[in-house]
Amino acid sequence: MKASRGGEAYARIYSVVRRVPRGRVVTYGAVARLAGVPRGARQVGYALHALAEADRDVPWQRVINAKGEVSPRGEADWASLQRSMLIAEGVVFDQKGRVDLTIYGWSDALVNEV
DNA sequence: TCCCTGACTGGTT
DNA sequence: AAACCAGCCAGGG
């Protein structure tokens, strides 16, 4: 079920995602590390999947996989929506639908940036 | 408590 | 560069 409030790890994950600046993207692995779950990349994805309407302040669209591409779930439409939302923020996708993480990637080294 | 599942990752092939 | 494979963690049945 949606344990959006059951797990403490989830709360930390959401808190990290909320800190990602507009127009930037972050990988699941980076969020996991910043949330204190070094190998919990999959957990991050699971946590975001459990997001409910009440958590709409969490910019989940800024979380992508290490390849720099939006992770495909069952419904491909959802992924395209995420892509649109990011483009609206100024994130650029290349012809293969991937984001250049060296430019838009946000990591702990950039936490001080606003 | 055991077993399966998954918005992932990194190393190989 | 793309497809595979094997670890990893926490939630839910």
Side-chain angles (χ1 to χ4, degrees), chain A residues 28 45 49 70-80 82:
Chain A
Y28 294 93
H49 185 249
V70 298
S71 291
R73 333 66 172 134
E75 297 286 319
D77 305 328
W78 209 237
S80 64
Q82 175 171 11

Side-chain angles (χ1 to χ4, degrees), chain A residues 39 46 84 88-89 108:
Chain A
R39 276 73 179 181
Y46 201 57
S84 301
E89 297 188 351
D108 52 343

